[in-house]
Amino acid sequence: MRKILIMGLPGAGKTTLAAALAPLLSAVTFNADAVRANLSRDLGFSHGDRVEHARRMGWMCDRVVEAGSTVIADFVCPQKNAGRVRRRLHYLGRSSARAGLRTRT
């Protein structure tokens, strides 16, 4: 396994899980909020911009894997859109694992 994608609602623990897994797997991590703040500042939160942001993160993940490392990326993904988003993230490749997190209300 070379790529791990963690998706869930805000506050579900995605970044915490990524941070805990990274040292165990010697993985590079990409947090969607940090990437948006530093590399995707030109994007808003429209559907198209969210898809583009995910595409950019997928591209960065691919570069890390091509360099021979493991990568973990975490994304906010509203529950009702999770299946649709997973289908659109096909570019993450066959060597990826996906985890969805739910919070209790």
Side-chain angles (χ1 to χ4, degrees):
M1 179 174 2
R2 304 302 303 258
K3 292 180 248 183
I4 300 170
L5 173 63
I6 303 171
M7 298 186 311
L9 295 172
K14 301 172 300 300
T15 303
T16 301
L17 177 59
L21 287 174
L24 299 173
L25 301 173
S26 298
V28 173
T29 61
F30 290 122
N31 170 271
D33 293 335
V35 171
R36 181 178 287 278
N38 291 284
L39 300 175
S40 294
R41 285 182 280 195
D42 59 317
L43 300 177
F45 290 91
S46 69
H47 174 72
D49 284 353
R50 288 177 186 271
V51 170
E52 175 60 16
H53 179 59
R55 187 199 65 76
R56 290 178 188 183
M57 285 195 60
W59 184 87
M60 289 188 315
C61 290
D62 288 343
R63 302 298 73 79
V64 170
V65 170
E66 286 173 5
S69 295
T70 298
V71 64
I72 302 169
D74 68 84
F75 289 84
V76 168
C77 184
Q79 179 99 13
K80 65 182 179 180
N81 296 329
R84 198 170 7 153
V85 170
R86 280 192 296 269
R87 288 188 292 277
R88 288 193 177 122
L89 293 176
H90 66 278
Y91 59 82
L92 286 172
R94 293 183 185 161
S95 63
S96 65
R98 296 168 180 91
L101 301 177
R102 290 187 186 175
T103 55
R104 291 186 178 185
T105 55

